[in-house]
Amino acid sequence: IKITNEMIPLDDKETFEMMQKGETIGVFQLESSGFREVIARLKPDRFEDIIALVAMYRPGPLESGMVDTYIEVKNGLKVAVYEDPILKEVLEETYGVILYQEQVMRIANLMAGFSLEESDNLRKAMSKKYPELMAKYREKFITGATANGIAVALADSVYSNIEKFAGYGFNKSHSAAYALIAYRTAYLKCKYPEEYISSLMTCDMGNTDKLVNYIEECKRLGFEILPPHINDSDWGFKPSAGKIRFALGAIKGVGESAVFAILEA
């Protein structure tokens, strides 16, 4: 089987259904128990949700309530409130939550007339929590926003809000790259589970804990783990329909040269 990145659509329904069940053991970035719990609550149904999940699953956002807000609004348990149409334009994709550093920059640019360089300097000041610089930018933000016809009270409220959440902000482009690998590995697990898990097991042949974890996942999926066989096994784990043949290379005490001599014979 040869699969190229171009052959993997970003809107595969079955892949998202697998994720919604939290069945992401072996999926890049999404396989820890905590991640699986959050992804099952989130119930992602679009690629943007995976980008957001990768950005959110960190101690700060989890403790701040950002993750809960995102999940509740996405699943219709809460309604996002936007104090200004500019905020709706920038934050609608993340259900009203300031999640990405790029959103902080965009709000400052659109609402307060910051240049892109000034917006980036504001992002840096917020992420590094420089109080004196933050106070200076508050004054500039409010002055710029009021010049654009926004009430002082609203401008002050918006700045306080982005000040609160910007410290947790994540770079979206970085998160998107991680999310793309996560989605593609989820797709492969969903569509080609025997081949994908065999590959994982081959990569981690020297890690007993991971192998045990993957074998448990095979049992959950209903795959039979066949014992090593001198005439059928390979160096790595070998997939077939509903089965995975144990690898000769994973047998303790059997060296690489011995295995390849057996295979040649």
Side-chain angles (χ1 to χ4, degrees):
I1 297 172
K2 183 177 180 182
I3 303 295
T4 63
N5 290 333
E6 292 73 25
M7 295 167 63
I8 299 179
L10 291 178
D11 58 354
D12 182 70
K13 184 179 178 183
E14 291 180 352
T15 300
F16 282 114
E17 287 175 348
M18 181 189 79
M19 289 184 176
Q20 289 167 8
K21 297 174 186 174
E23 296 175 356
T24 54
I25 287 176
V27 175
F28 178 71
Q29 286 282 300
L30 311 183
E31 64 179 340
S32 72
S33 58
F35 235 128
R36 298 201 309 273
E37 180 185 341
V38 171
I39 203 169
R41 288 175 56 212
L42 176 64
K43 302 193 183 308
D45 55 11
R46 56 178 190 152
F47 180 61
E48 288 77 9
D49 288 334
I50 308 303
I51 300 175
L53 183 66
V54 171
M56 286 189 297
Y57 194 77
R58 294 173 293 123
L62 287 168
E63 292 165 9
S64 72
M66 287 170 62
V67 177
D68 293 330
T69 299
Y70 186 101
I71 291 172
E72 288 167 356
V73 175
K74 173 180 170 53
N75 292 326
L77 303 175
K78 277 187 179 178
V79 177
V81 177
Y82 304 99
E83 298 175 286
D84 186 89
I86 290 174
L87 295 178
K88 183 174 182 182
E89 177 186 340
V90 177
L91 301 178
E92 193 166 26
E93 70 163 313
T94 52
Y95 304 103
V97 174
I98 300 175
L99 181 56
Y100 305 122
Q101 293 174 352
E102 291 90 337
Q103 290 175 315
V104 172
M105 295 170 64
R106 193 68 177 146
I107 291 169
N109 173 247
L110 294 177
M111 186 170 276
F114 280 38
S115 69
L116 294 181
E117 182 181 4
E118 289 170 331
S119 298
D120 191 42
N121 289 335
L122 171 63
R123 175 195 63 79
K124 290 175 185 175
M126 287 184 166
S127 62
K128 294 181 180 178
K129 297 180 172 63
Y130 293 145
E132 301 85 3
L133 205 49
M134 293 296 298
K136 174 185 148 186
Y137 278 122
R138 177 185 288 273
E139 183 179 342
K140 181 176 176 58
F141 185 92
I142 293 172
T143 300
T146 52
N148 286 336
I150 294 169
V152 173
L154 176 56
D156 188 63
S157 172
V158 169
Y159 190 85
S160 294
N161 199 30
I162 63 175
E163 188 176 26
K164 177 182 176 183
F165 288 106
Y168 304 131
F170 199 76
N171 183 276
K172 184 182 179 182
S173 58
H174 184 94
S175 185
Y178 272 62
L180 186 59
I181 299 171
Y183 176 85
R184 284 172 175 168
T185 55
Y187 178 90
L188 293 174
K189 181 183 179 184
C190 179
K191 302 296 185 180
Y192 308 99
E194 296 98 332
E195 291 83 358
Y196 182 71
I197 294 177
S198 292
S199 296
L200 289 178
M201 294 171 78
T202 299
C203 287
D204 287 314
M205 283 197 299
N207 189 326
T208 303
D209 290 340
K210 281 198 170 185
L211 279 184
V212 169
N213 200 29
Y214 293 144
I215 288 171
E216 287 300 314
E217 181 67 356
C218 288
K219 290 177 181 176
R220 188 190 68 78
L221 292 169
F223 298 160
E224 183 181 359
I225 301 293
L226 300 174
H229 192 291
I230 199 167
N231 291 322
D232 189 48
S233 291
D234 286 335
W235 165 257
F237 288 84
K238 182 178 176 182
S240 60
K243 301 174 184 178
I244 294 177
R245 175 71 71 179
F246 202 85
L248 292 177
I251 301 172
K252 292 198 174 191
V254 180
E256 185 174 338
S257 58
V259 170
F260 282 101
I262 291 169
L263 293 177
E264 185 179 356

